Short mmCIF file of all heavy atoms in Angstrom, two decimals:
data_model
loop_
_atom_site.label_atom_id
_atom_site.label_comp_id
_atom_site.label_asym_id
_atom_site.label_seq_id
_atom_site.Cartn_x
_atom_site.Cartn_y
_atom_site.Cartn_z
N ILE B 354 91.47 138.09 85.56
CA ILE B 354 91.62 138.39 84.13
C ILE B 354 90.36 137.89 83.40
O ILE B 354 90.29 137.84 82.17
CB ILE B 354 92.91 137.73 83.57
CG1 ILE B 354 93.28 138.27 82.17
CG2 ILE B 354 92.79 136.23 83.51
CD1 ILE B 354 93.83 139.67 82.17
N CYS B 355 89.33 137.54 84.19
CA CYS B 355 88.16 136.88 83.60
C CYS B 355 87.27 137.81 82.78
O CYS B 355 86.27 137.36 82.23
CB CYS B 355 87.34 136.15 84.67
SG CYS B 355 86.59 137.25 85.87
N THR B 356 87.63 139.08 82.65
CA THR B 356 86.90 139.90 81.66
C THR B 356 87.45 139.64 80.25
O THR B 356 86.89 140.13 79.28
CB THR B 356 87.00 141.40 81.99
OG1 THR B 356 88.39 141.73 82.19
CG2 THR B 356 86.20 141.75 83.24
N GLY B 357 88.54 138.88 80.17
CA GLY B 357 89.03 138.39 78.88
C GLY B 357 89.43 139.48 77.93
O GLY B 357 90.06 140.47 78.31
N SER B 358 89.07 139.30 76.67
CA SER B 358 89.48 140.22 75.61
C SER B 358 88.49 141.36 75.42
O SER B 358 88.57 142.07 74.42
CB SER B 358 89.59 139.44 74.29
OG SER B 358 90.42 138.31 74.43
N TYR B 359 87.58 141.52 76.36
CA TYR B 359 86.42 142.37 76.11
C TYR B 359 86.42 143.63 76.97
O TYR B 359 86.88 143.62 78.11
CB TYR B 359 85.13 141.55 76.33
CG TYR B 359 85.24 140.24 75.58
CD1 TYR B 359 85.55 139.06 76.24
CD2 TYR B 359 85.15 140.22 74.18
CE1 TYR B 359 85.73 137.87 75.54
CE2 TYR B 359 85.34 139.04 73.48
CZ TYR B 359 85.64 137.86 74.16
OH TYR B 359 85.83 136.71 73.46
N ASP B 360 85.88 144.67 76.38
CA ASP B 360 85.80 145.96 77.05
C ASP B 360 84.54 145.95 77.91
O ASP B 360 83.46 146.33 77.47
CB ASP B 360 85.74 147.07 75.99
CG ASP B 360 85.68 148.45 76.62
OD1 ASP B 360 85.96 148.56 77.83
OD2 ASP B 360 85.36 149.40 75.90
N ILE B 361 84.70 145.44 79.13
CA ILE B 361 83.57 145.29 80.05
C ILE B 361 83.74 146.34 81.15
O ILE B 361 84.66 146.24 81.96
CB ILE B 361 83.51 143.87 80.64
CG1 ILE B 361 83.39 142.85 79.49
CG2 ILE B 361 82.35 143.75 81.63
CD1 ILE B 361 83.38 141.40 79.93
N PRO B 362 82.89 147.37 81.15
CA PRO B 362 83.15 148.51 82.03
C PRO B 362 83.01 148.21 83.51
O PRO B 362 83.66 148.84 84.35
CB PRO B 362 82.12 149.55 81.57
CG PRO B 362 81.07 148.78 80.84
CD PRO B 362 81.74 147.58 80.26
N THR B 363 82.15 147.25 83.85
CA THR B 363 81.87 147.01 85.26
C THR B 363 81.94 145.51 85.52
O THR B 363 81.34 144.73 84.77
CB THR B 363 80.46 147.52 85.61
OG1 THR B 363 80.34 148.86 85.11
CG2 THR B 363 80.23 147.53 87.11
N ALA B 364 82.63 145.13 86.58
CA ALA B 364 82.75 143.69 86.85
C ALA B 364 83.01 143.45 88.33
O ALA B 364 83.52 144.33 89.04
CB ALA B 364 83.87 143.09 86.01
N TYR B 365 82.65 142.25 88.74
CA TYR B 365 82.87 141.84 90.13
C TYR B 365 83.19 140.35 90.15
O TYR B 365 82.56 139.56 89.46
CB TYR B 365 81.61 142.11 90.96
CG TYR B 365 81.65 141.49 92.34
CD1 TYR B 365 82.51 141.99 93.32
CD2 TYR B 365 80.83 140.40 92.65
CE1 TYR B 365 82.54 141.40 94.59
CE2 TYR B 365 80.86 139.82 93.91
CZ TYR B 365 81.72 140.33 94.88
OH TYR B 365 81.75 139.76 96.12
#
Side-chain angles (χ1 to χ4, degrees):
Chain B
I354 193 73
C355 65
T356 51
S358 307
Y359 311 102
D360 181 14
I361 302 178
T363 311
Y365 169 71

